[in-house]
Amino acid sequence: MPSENLRFETLVALKNSPKGQLKYSPDWLDKGEDVLARCIEVSSLSPLSGQILKRMSPRPLLKTCSLTSCVRDTSPGLSEDAAACGSLPISPRPVLSPSSPAPVSIFTEEEEEKFSCQKAEEIKDAPVVSPEASVSSTPSISVLSPRATQMAGCIRMCEQKHKARAKMELSLRQEQQERLVATVANRESEQLKRFEEFMELKQRQDYQSMRDMMEKETQESIGRQEKLREEHRHRMKILNLRLREMEQQRLREVELERQRQVEGRERHRAINAIQEEVLQLNQLLQPRPSTHTDSALDHAPYITRGNQLCSQVSEVVPASADGQFLSVEDLTVAERALQEMRSLVRGLQEEVTQAAERKKRDQEEEEEEKKRQNELKAQQEEQKKNAARSTIEKTKREGLQTGADGSTLKWYNALQDSANQCAQASEDLSKAKDTQMKKLKMELQKAATTPVSQIANSSGSPLKEAFEKIDKLLSGRPVTSAGKSVSTSQHPQGLEFVSYRLAEKFVKQGEEEVASNHSAAFPIAAVASGIMEMHPKIGDLILAHLHKKCPYAVPHYPPMERGTSVEDYQRILGYRVDDSKVEGQDSFLKRMSGMIRLYAAIIQMRWPYTGKQGPHPHGLSHGWRWLAQILNMEPIADITATILFDFLEVCGNALMKQYRGQFWKLILLIIEEYFPRIEAVTSTGQMGSVTRLKQFLETSLRTKQISAPKSELGSAFFRS
């Protein structure tokens, strides 16, 4: 039911009403007091009771109105509810007997006592109002009793007191709160002031530290500037000292140059006088008519040596004719040549005198014998003398050779013609302008030169691989180069082109690789000798390129022909000439040494994998021929000693084993007869190679042994 559901809410509303807040003492009935003895008013409902009753059903509302018609509250809401119900008399509330149960109070005893006291005081102070006045003044249904009015007044006064007390407490609390706020504000203001003072102090400290730091940096920068100024002054002193030293050095150089020019002019006059005297003495070496009949006297050695001395002096004189001053070494060489020329003239004169005496004595002895026999002998001797004289004159004209003999020159020219024909045969491919042909040319060239560049003295396997690639390429079989397959059969001139480039690369390896690393000679020579044995044409091309770049490998000293420029002649001799600038002597000798060492290694190396029987295609016999030919030619300063030392150091051991006694005779001939010729044509500044050769020859002759080269390849090398 809705009404039953609102019972608890009704009780709560009544409890919270002003009347429900009143306290009643439960002891009133026990004491025999009537709670409503002085109250003539009836009970009245709270202002909220009307709203609660409206929410209830109509019948209970009417019943409630009938029951409460005699009870009236001062609230306007209740008066309106009472008017709706009509004014009905309400009987006074019955007084409970002592035996009846006491009403249950909803307040505690303390609250009820306090409330009763307050009500009693209010009743005493409340004025008495008559029923008529109450009825006339209040538009309610019933009139309140004086006690109730007094009690209501007390309640109002109590409420006012409570309100006044609450207002006072509120004002006190507000003042306390304001004082607390003021205290907090003052405290915060003081803290703010302290914080501002702290921040000012912090700023002053930061400013002071920054000033200190800036002053420190200023002092450091001043110190650095002072240090830099001091270093600058020190460097200026050093520069001034260097300038003074350079000026003194320049003055010394000027003085030395002046002295050098004076001494040079003196040496120039001296060399002219020496040359004149040498030429005059050389005329004395020529045979006289009085000595033609002496068969025991041989003028050829004297004439040959005299011509050498004249040539040696003449080589020095052109340098002075070009405006250059002779060095002391050149003048010493010329003076030594003059002394030797004088010795030759004296020796020749002594031999002529002795020959004349011997001839006269023989003639006297022969005259004592039979005249016929003497005449016959005289005729025979005359014939012999004529033959000897012709031999002497021929020897005098020839002497030691200045170039290769006829057979050697013929062989040399044949090799050069073969190389030229090979170059002409591959000219179309070499000078190809078509893109496809150029590409083929580059691939063939790489296939030919790359294996040669990869030759090293590490082990035999890489050498075998390089040899097989070259052999395949020359045999017309395809090889792989740079990831591409290439073959000489791809072009009619492919084989000629590859052969020419391959031979050129072998010689270039000797010119560059062997010149820098002497141990590389034998691996390159091993592959080259194998290619020469399998493909003889390649051997001829290798020798042709070698002779062209190093004519001393023939051996051949090309003469300067008429109409040949100096630069072209230098190129013929093997020098490199770039932009009219001839390479230095040290670089030239280094390249020649590399190629001679390669040649000496080729003539003694044999490729072990060919399986061919028979002699080496260019073996030790050619080395013996080369050595003999060198000794039959006039030595050249600095070159002959260098190539002879390199050749014997590489190939001397193999020649010693092959020719034994004949080889040692040749070594003895070099020491006794040929080496003095080398010393005679060598100036003081070129004695390094001569000294090395002399020590090598003396050590070899003394020990009767020439050690094998350290880089020579043994059988164990090819098995690795």
Side-chain angles (χ1 to χ4, degrees), residues 25-31 35 93 96-105:
S25 175
D27 298 332
W28 289 347
L29 294 178
D30 295 338
K31 293 179 181 180
V35 180
R93 185 178 182 182
L96 298 175
S97 63
S99 61
S100 62
V104 181
S105 176

Side-chain angles (χ1 to χ4, degrees), residues 404-511:
D405 57 15
S407 60
T408 304
L409 282 178
K410 185 177 180 181
W411 174 61
Y412 166 76
N413 292 327
L415 291 177
Q416 296 302 318
D417 292 340
S418 176
N420 293 333
Q421 290 175 4
C422 183
Q424 291 176 359
S426 61
E427 186 175 5
D428 294 341
L429 184 58
S430 300
K431 298 180 179 180
K433 296 182 180 180
D434 182 57
T435 306
Q436 193 69 21
M437 296 296 292
K438 284 184 178 180
K439 184 178 180 181
L440 177 61
K441 180 187 74 173
M442 293 302 298
E443 291 176 354
L444 288 173
Q445 185 169 343
K446 286 182 181 179
T449 58
T450 301
V452 181
S453 302
Q454 295 174 349
I455 295 175
N457 57 349
S458 57
S459 62
S461 298
L463 293 187
K464 189 174 182 181
E465 291 178 3
F467 176 83
E468 289 176 352
K469 287 183 180 179
I470 297 172
D471 183 49
K472 274 185 175 182
L473 187 64
L474 294 175
S475 301
R477 290 176 289 175
V479 296
T480 303
S481 175
K484 297 180 180 179
S485 179
V486 63
S487 172
T488 56
S489 60
Q490 292 178 268
H491 194 276
Q493 299 177 358
L495 181 59
E496 300 292 335
F497 176 79
V498 167
S499 300
Y500 191 85
R501 295 300 180 189
L502 180 63
E504 186 180 37
K505 182 62 178 178
F506 270 114
V507 177
K508 189 175 182 180
Q509 286 293 100
E511 184 182 11

Side-chain angles (χ1 to χ4, degrees), residues 337-399:
L338 177 60
Q339 295 297 331
E340 188 173 354
M341 181 66 76
R342 291 173 180 172
S343 300
L344 285 176
V345 172
R346 286 195 298 270
L348 180 61
Q349 290 176 352
E350 290 176 359
E351 287 190 6
V352 168
T353 303
Q354 293 175 2
E357 291 177 355
R358 285 195 302 272
K359 182 179 178 181
K360 184 177 180 181
R361 188 170 51 253
D362 292 339
Q363 287 178 355
E364 289 177 355
E365 290 177 357
E366 289 174 359
E367 287 177 356
E368 291 176 357
E369 294 180 358
K370 295 180 179 180
K371 292 182 178 179
R372 289 183 178 179
Q373 293 179 356
N374 291 340
E375 291 178 357
L376 183 59
K377 287 181 180 180
Q379 292 177 357
Q380 293 177 353
E381 288 177 359
E382 187 66 22
Q383 293 176 357
K384 291 180 180 180
K385 288 178 182 179
N386 292 333
R389 187 165 53 252
S390 61
T391 303
I392 291 171
E393 290 177 355
K394 183 178 180 181
T395 306
K396 178 189 67 176
R397 289 193 304 268
E398 294 180 359

Side-chain angles (χ1 to χ4, degrees), residues 274-314:
I274 290 173
Q275 185 180 19
E276 183 180 0
E277 186 175 356
V278 166
L279 292 175
Q280 291 176 357
L281 293 175
N282 189 45
Q283 295 295 328
L284 297 178
L285 295 177
Q286 301 298 326
R288 298 177 182 179
S290 59
T291 60
H292 287 179
T293 56
D294 190 1
S295 60
L297 183 60
D298 188 6
H299 288 260
Y302 295 97
I303 294 173
T304 302
R305 186 56 186 162
N307 291 333
Q308 291 177 355
L309 294 175
C310 290
S311 300
Q312 186 175 350
V313 175
S314 299

Side-chain angles (χ1 to χ4, degrees), residues 113-125:
E113 289 178 1
K114 183 178 180 181
F115 181 72
S116 61
C117 293
Q118 291 177 356
K119 290 296 182 181
E121 291 176 359
E122 291 175 358
I123 291 170
K124 288 179 181 180
D125 297 334

Side-chain angles (χ1 to χ4, degrees), residues 63-82:
K63 185 177 181 180
T64 305
C65 291
S66 64
L67 291 175
T68 60
S69 61
C70 295
V71 183
R72 178 72 179 267
D73 194 10
T74 58
S75 61
L78 186 57
S79 299
E80 295 174 359
D81 296 336

Side-chain angles (χ1 to χ4, degrees), residues 465-638:
E465 291 178 3
F467 176 83
E468 289 176 352
K469 287 183 180 179
I470 297 172
D471 183 49
K472 274 185 175 182
L473 187 64
L474 294 175
S475 301
R477 290 176 289 175
V479 296
T480 303
S481 175
K484 297 180 180 179
S485 179
V486 63
S487 172
T488 56
S489 60
Q490 292 178 268
H491 194 276
Q493 299 177 358
L495 181 59
E496 300 292 335
F497 176 79
V498 167
S499 300
Y500 191 85
R501 295 300 180 189
L502 180 63
E504 186 180 37
K505 182 62 178 178
F506 270 114
V507 177
K508 189 175 182 180
Q509 286 293 100
E511 184 182 11
E512 296 176 356
E513 182 69 20
V514 180
S516 302
N517 181 17
H518 292 170
S519 62
F522 283 96
I524 299 173
V527 179
S529 63
I531 296 298
M532 292 171 69
E533 191 169 357
M534 297 294 294
H535 307 275
K537 183 179 179 180
I538 305 299
D540 294 342
L541 291 175
I542 291 175
L543 293 175
H545 281 286
L546 181 65
H547 294 167
K548 186 176 182 180
K549 288 192 173 183
C550 179
Y552 314 103
V554 177
H556 176 48
Y557 304 154
M560 185 174 181
E561 298 179 357
R562 182 176 297 179
T564 305
S565 64
V566 177
E567 295 179 1
D568 293 339
Y569 184 61
Q570 294 287 349
R571 290 191 182 93
I572 294 173
L573 292 178
Y575 288 88
R576 284 178 176 173
V577 182
D578 297 326
D579 297 333
S580 301
K581 185 178 180 181
V582 183
E583 70 173 327
Q585 187 70 7
D586 292 340
S587 175
F588 168 74
L589 291 176
K590 184 178 180 180
R591 291 191 303 106
M592 298 300 109
S593 174
M595 287 184 280
I596 288 296
R597 284 179 176 272
L598 177 61
Y599 179 68
I602 288 175
I603 62 178
Q604 63 176 308
M605 285 298 299
R606 192 78 181 266
W607 183 248
Y609 301 110
T610 58
K612 287 189 175 183
Q613 301 294 329
H616 192 290
H618 196 81
L620 288 174
S621 60
H622 290 269
W624 183 264
R625 180 199 59 79
W626 182 90
L627 189 59
Q629 185 68 34
I630 280 287
L631 298 180
N632 285 328
M633 298 172 66
E634 289 291 342
I636 300 177
D638 210 13

